[in-house]
Amino acid sequence: MGAFEEKIKKLCADRELPGIILLARDNGGHFQYTETFGHKNPTEPIDLDATFWLASCTKLLTTIAVLQCVESGQIKLDDDVSSVLTELKDIEILTGFRDGTDSPILKKAENKINLRHLLTHSAGFGYDHDERYQRWSASRIALGQEEDLSLLGKISKPLLFEPGTSWEYGYSLEWVGVLVTRLSAMSLEQYMQKHIWDPLGIHNITFHPEKKPFVKNNLVKMSRRGGNPTFGLPIRNEEKVEWLDETVFDLSTLDEYGGGGLTGSATEFMEILQSIGRNDGKLLTSAIVDEMFTPQLTGAAAKAYQDGIALPHMQDVFASHKAGTRVNWGLGGMMVLEDEETGRTSGTLSWSGMPNLLWSIDRNAGLNLFYASNVLPAGDFKSGSVQRWFEKKMYMRFQESGWFAREWKGT
């Protein structure tokens, strides 16, 4: 075990980090890195059987599912989705509130929402924590409207801007999941089992861990850095990681959230990354994989996303990028448009999950990485430092192995 591994082992032993799994695979089957560190609960060491709440890593699988529907001719990327998602037919935009009240000001959207908008978070949906949605919900409750806690009830909200004109992270992929179920006449679980998991021999990823004993019994216990909120921006401090008893996401829900509902194996999630990275045709054709790795945002939407990574609260957190790094959005995740000092090459596709998980597919270098943990809050600073160190080490070792697909320009 090298100095890198010894350092991570000590961080976990000192409760600076919870249990983590670090995975790296190249597309040719020559380079492989697999390590576990720390504990999955207060008494059991983590191992490769460990399963995680995958949170927003779910979005990649939901994207793959709907792109399969595109390939089969059921829908096109630029089609108006309201022909299937009829709830969106006359959707309104929340433009503000009447003075001194929570009474919303709404106007009908002029642009139609297409599938590309949903896949790139440029449709106009946000998440519940947005203060505008909280005020909108308060106004409905004040009028005596009962809160609908079903999936459709939670995601049926007004837009925050005209479709295609800005960028906001939100419920778009939940709507994509609903779209897949209606196009296929299958549940999202059934669809992914047949069209994603079975082709790759995956058994331990699911929306319903209570129905898969292996997934449920090996689930990593959620943790949180002391002194930090469960939700919200991370606080930079030196407090230890503590185990949580409360539930962050209801894993027993019958609803299948396409934007964040999956639980499963880190090693099996890597199988999906490798399939896309290798472009092996098991999940998608070469043409649609190329589209995934094509920058999708233009104009004001591209600027809104680019400006977002430079915000002060986005610096040095988990899964962050240096201010000024050129970025865009592909289909399934964000894209860097220039080489980064950790080793990532221009065109790498990646995204994270709320409790500090991060996947990346670097087609140019031929390397796929997955950092898996379940610690809160999102953006944990210490997890971010370790993740960037892990990434840099993997690119260095991959280069040293002689199988690196192109000359590395990092340091």
Side-chain angles (χ1 to χ4, degrees), residues 25-288:
R25 306 280 191 273
D26 77 328
N27 291 331
H30 307 292
F31 178 81
Q32 177 172 309
Y33 181 88
T34 305
E35 289 291 348
T36 63
F37 303 91
H39 284 68
K40 66 180 179 182
N41 59 46
T43 61
E44 295 181 86
I46 199 168
D47 56 32
L48 291 178
D49 288 338
T51 57
F52 299 80
W53 173 42
L54 295 170
S56 286
C57 294
T58 303
K59 290 177 169 66
L60 175 63
L61 279 74
T62 302
T63 298
I64 292 170
V66 82
L67 291 179
Q68 291 175 338
C69 296
V70 171
E71 288 187 325
S72 65
Q74 294 171 285
I75 194 168
K76 296 183 176 66
L77 285 170
D78 295 311
D79 280 353
D80 174 4
V81 295
S82 68
S83 61
V84 180
L85 301 174
T86 55
E87 298 89 344
L88 307 183
K89 191 171 185 62
D90 295 307
I91 196 164
E92 295 179 310
I93 302 171
L94 177 59
T95 62
F97 297 86
R98 292 180 177 85
D99 291 343
T101 73
D102 285 332
S103 178
I105 301 171
L106 300 162
K107 72 166 189 175
K108 185 177 177 180
E110 296 179 6
N111 298 342
K112 300 298 183 182
I113 298 175
N114 62 40
L115 178 55
R116 199 184 303 269
H117 290 147
L118 291 176
L119 290 175
T120 59
H121 300 282
S122 59
F125 292 107
Y127 272 131
D128 287 344
H129 62 256
D130 190 289
E131 183 265 347
R132 292 167 290 181
Y133 278 157
Q134 292 177 12
R135 292 181 66 183
W136 174 80
S137 295
S139 72
R140 291 163 63 85
I141 293 172
L143 292 173
Q145 297 185 35
E146 188 172 336
E147 187 176 9
D148 184 350
L149 298 179
S150 69
L151 169 61
L152 277 175
K154 287 181 68 67
I155 69 177
S156 294
K157 290 178 165 60
L159 303 179
L160 300 177
F161 54 80
E162 194 72 50
T165 65
S166 191
W167 192 92
E168 182 77 27
Y169 195 54
Y171 280 124
S172 287
L173 268 293
E174 268 74 27
W175 281 112
V176 173
V178 175
L179 181 66
V180 171
T181 66
R182 292 181 182 177
L183 290 173
S184 66
M186 303 169 74
S187 72
L188 205 51
E189 174 93 3
Q190 291 169 334
Y191 184 92
M192 289 187 182
Q193 187 69 60
K194 181 176 181 179
H195 297 285
I196 297 177
W197 304 330
D198 284 350
L200 298 181
I202 288 173
H203 304 286
N204 298 308
I205 298 178
T206 180
F207 287 100
H208 305 290
E210 73 282 359
K211 296 181 180 179
K212 289 192 174 182
F214 183 93
V215 175
K216 181 180 180 180
N217 294 339
N218 287 286
L219 183 61
V220 171
K221 188 176 179 67
M222 189 61 66
S223 60
R224 175 181 60 201
R225 189 165 307 282
N228 275 261
T230 301
F231 303 100
L233 298 177
I235 299 169
R236 192 189 293 274
N237 64 24
E238 296 302 318
E239 294 197 38
K240 307 296 186 181
V241 167
E242 55 193 25
W243 301 105
L244 293 180
D245 291 325
E246 63 262 36
T247 299
V248 177
F249 178 82
D250 182 8
L251 299 180
S252 64
T253 179
L254 295 177
D255 287 323
E256 296 171 351
Y257 284 76
L262 285 174
T263 300
S265 160
T267 53
E268 291 192 347
F269 192 89
M270 174 56 80
E271 295 290 331
I272 297 166
L273 302 182
Q274 285 188 278
S275 180
I276 298 299
R278 287 193 299 255
N279 203 359
D280 59 15
K282 292 182 179 180
L283 300 180
L284 295 167
T285 64
S286 180
I288 204 74

Side-chain angles (χ1 to χ4, degrees), residues 343-361:
R344 284 194 195 190
T345 71
S346 177
T348 298
L349 194 71
S350 69
W351 198 238
S352 59
M354 179 183 175
N356 296 281
L357 306 100
L358 180 65
W359 60 265
S360 62
I361 305 172

Side-chain angles (χ1 to χ4, degrees), residues 271-347:
E271 295 290 331
I272 297 166
L273 302 182
Q274 285 188 278
S275 180
I276 298 299
R278 287 193 299 255
N279 203 359
D280 59 15
K282 292 182 179 180
L283 300 180
L284 295 167
T285 64
S286 180
I288 204 74
V289 170
D290 288 345
E291 188 68 25
M292 291 179 70
F293 288 82
T294 298
Q296 302 289 322
L297 298 176
T298 60
K303 184 178 186 304
Y305 184 58
Q306 181 70 63
D307 291 346
I309 73 158
L311 294 173
H313 70 267
M314 292 297 295
Q315 302 309 299
D316 298 324
V317 297
F318 184 86
S320 64
H321 301 267
K322 283 189 174 181
T325 303
R326 291 188 299 115
V327 296
N328 203 284
W329 198 265
L331 299 178
M334 67 86 65
M335 294 182 65
V336 292
L337 303 183
E338 59 184 271
D339 293 356
E340 294 189 283
E341 63 180 16
T342 59
R344 284 194 195 190
T345 71
S346 177

